[in-house]
Amino acid sequence: MTKNEKTTDTSSGKKKIFDFAFGRENYILMIAGIVVLAIGYMLLTGGGSDDPDVFSYELFNARRLVVAPIVILGGFVIEIFAIMIKPKK
């Protein structure tokens, strides 16, 4: 038996219960953080010029310079919070 397994005696026999490092809330927050990070990285994409001889000022819009980095930082904060909170027992 590994250190993460616990056994309980029931009327039908022994049943293994696994003790995970994180709780259900932690995993939900981790998935939410990954989704927020993906949205942030999607906000960084696009805006390039099809013609390499023409410069596109789409590179310097507010979505790429302000909104996307804030969303990405928010995703990392959610991930850190999801890892650090204690699961409810």
Side-chain angles (χ1 to χ4, degrees):
M1 179 176 354
T2 64
K3 69 178 184 178
N4 287 339
E5 291 180 12
K6 295 180 182 177
T7 58
T8 58
D9 290 326
T10 59
S11 60
S12 63
K14 291 186 176 182
K15 182 178 179 182
K16 289 184 180 179
I17 299 173
F18 292 95
D19 188 22
F20 292 106
F22 297 115
R24 185 172 189 261
E25 298 86 15
N26 297 83
Y27 288 116
I28 291 171
L29 283 172
M30 285 183 198
I31 291 170
I34 290 171
V35 168
V36 171
L37 283 170
I39 290 170
Y41 284 116
M42 281 189 260
L43 288 173
L44 285 173
T45 62
S49 178
D50 294 331
D51 185 14
D53 295 329
V54 178
F55 183 75
S56 175
Y57 285 100
E58 283 285 320
L59 295 171
F60 302 112
N61 63 9
R63 183 190 78 187
R64 283 188 164 165
L65 292 178
V66 178
V67 177
I70 290 173
V71 172
I72 290 171
L73 285 175
F76 282 121
V77 167
I78 293 171
E79 288 294 326
I80 291 169
F81 181 73
I83 292 170
M84 297 301 282
I85 64 170
K86 288 188 176 188
K88 296 178 184 175
K89 299 257 176 175

